[in-house]
């Protein structure tokens, strides 16, 4: 899916560009350091987007929130959601990383003050396991919150074909063992 104007604005702000530069057509001067930081972050974002393209492109539901969904927005979006609801978003503080933020019981030992558990997925982690595997195996996270449609969806419904394919492959492997 294409980057929305909000995505581009969020990326520019994260890189230190003045907010007014993305909302007006007038020219803004930035320092070499701001430009260098932007280039580094943008390259990391492009690598990440290439690695997660199959899930980034899902739009019904939108599994990975855009760059406009920061930690505060995540806290607000999950505030009234039931335990097990989660958002997958880009990290604002660690460019090139994803964050799975899940509503957990208040008694959870790693819950923050908002009743959320945040798990970081680094780009290098995605070379070992696909993003849908990280989401599927994230304990306690049962329903994706599509923040753009305000809709909760059981993650098994989203990744059902992957589950089916893997089960079918296990059956085929079992047959191979019998006939070898």
């Amino acid at each position: 899916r294409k980057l929305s104007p909000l995505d581009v604005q969020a990326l520019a702000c994260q890189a230190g560009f003045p907010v007014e530069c993305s909302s007006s057509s007038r020219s803004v001067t930035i320092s070499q350091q701001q430009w260098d930081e932007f280039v580094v972050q943008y390259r990391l974002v492009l690598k990440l987007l290439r690695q997660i393209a199959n899930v980034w492109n899902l739009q019904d539901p939108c599994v990975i929130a855009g760059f406009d969904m920061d930690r505060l927005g995540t806290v607000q979006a999950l505030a009234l959601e039931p335990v097990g609801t989660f958002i997958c978003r880009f990290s604002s503080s660690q460019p090139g990383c994803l964050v799975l933020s899940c509503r957990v019981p208040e008694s959870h030992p790693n819950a923050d003050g908002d009743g959320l558990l945040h798990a970081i997925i680094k780009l290098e982690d995605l070379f070992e396991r696909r993003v849908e595997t990280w989401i599927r195996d994230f304990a306690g996270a049962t329903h994706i919150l599509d923040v753009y449609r305000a809709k909760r969806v059981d993650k098994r419904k989203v990744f059902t074909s992957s589950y089916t394919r893997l089960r079918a492959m296990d059956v085929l492997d079992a047959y191979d063992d019998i006939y070898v």
Side-chain angles (χ1 to χ4, degrees), residues 27-135:
S27 110
V28 174
T29 303
I30 60 168
S31 70
Q32 183 64 46
Q33 181 181 353
Q34 286 175 301
W35 176 251
D36 293 343
E37 186 174 330
F38 172 77
V39 169
V40 168
Q41 288 185 9
Y42 194 68
R43 285 182 179 152
L44 288 170
V45 165
L46 289 178
K47 285 180 185 178
L48 180 60
L49 284 171
R50 276 189 229 109
Q51 195 65 26
I52 63 168
N54 56 326
V55 178
W56 168 254
N57 288 327
L58 295 175
Q59 293 186 44
D60 191 18
C62 180
V63 175
I64 301 174
F67 294 92
D68 57 307
M69 180 55 63
D70 60 7
R71 187 179 183 119
L72 179 60
T74 299
V75 168
Q76 292 171 346
L78 290 172
L80 300 176
E81 295 296 330
V83 168
T85 306
F86 71 96
I87 293 173
C88 183
R89 63 182 175 83
F90 295 91
S91 174
S92 301
S93 60
Q94 297 182 47
C97 296
L98 290 174
V99 180
L100 291 174
S101 298
C102 184
R103 163 78 48 216
V104 294
E106 291 180 20
S107 60
H108 192 287
N110 296 319
D112 66 10
D114 297 306
L116 301 178
L117 176 67
H118 304 277
I120 193 99
I121 303 172
K122 297 179 180 177
L123 179 60
E124 51 269 17
D125 297 332
L126 294 168
F127 291 113
E128 296 175 20
R129 297 173 70 201
R130 297 180 346 187
V131 67
E132 53 268 46
T133 304
W134 284 101
I135 293 170

